[in-house]
Amino acid sequence: MVFLLLAQQTKLSKIGKKYKLSFGFKANSSIQNILNVRWGNKNVLNLEKTEKDAVWQTYTDDKLEATTTSATLSFDNLNEKEDGFGFLIDAVKVQLCQ
């Protein structure tokens, strides 16, 4: 059995403007937890953690630039070893930088 996760959301954006992404992440397995984060077609973050890293951590990136009038933010674990656990994410925020 394979467990894959793909979570995504599309929001309106302003071309050329910078956005700040923040979210919480926690490993959920002793084997491998891979989190890929994409903003539009651009891969902006790849994390690899194990259960020894099983504390909530906050990640922030304030250099995301909109290249279209709508941007899709996605999280996946599509290149993770099959263990049935995956990762935990929480408190996802995308804000226009001032």
Side-chain angles (χ1 to χ4, degrees), residues 5 7-8 14 17 20 22 24 26 32 35-36 42 46 49 59 65 67 70 74 77 80 82-83 85-86 90 97-98:
L5 169 73
Q8 67 182 33
K14 297 179 181 179
K17 297 291 185 178
K20 177 181 178 180
S22 64
K26 180 180 178 222
Q32 180 187 43
L35 176 63
N36 306 301
K42 183 180 176 187
N46 295 97
K49 304 286 183 179
Y59 293 89
E65 185 173 342
T67 57
S70 65
S74 65
N77 67 339
E80 180 176 293
E82 299 172 21
D83 64 5
F85 291 99
D90 192 24
C97 293
Q98 298 302 325

Side-chain angles (χ1 to χ4, degrees), residues 60-75:
T60 302
D61 185 342
D62 61 357
K63 295 178 177 59
L64 303 179
E65 185 173 342
T67 57
T68 62
T69 56
S70 65
T72 300
L73 174 66
S74 65
F75 298 86

Side-chain angles (χ1 to χ4, degrees), residues 29-73:
S29 160
S30 60
I31 299 173
Q32 180 187 43
N33 289 258
I34 293 178
L35 176 63
N36 306 301
V37 182
R38 291 180 180 79
W39 173 255
N41 293 327
K42 183 180 176 187
N43 193 22
V44 295
L45 183 63
N46 295 97
L47 297 173
E48 185 169 348
K49 304 286 183 179
T50 62
E51 193 172 34
K52 67 182 175 78
D53 303 306
V55 295
W56 283 101
Q57 299 176 37
T58 301
Y59 293 89
T60 302
D61 185 342
D62 61 357
K63 295 178 177 59
L64 303 179
E65 185 173 342
T67 57
T68 62
T69 56
S70 65
T72 300
L73 174 66

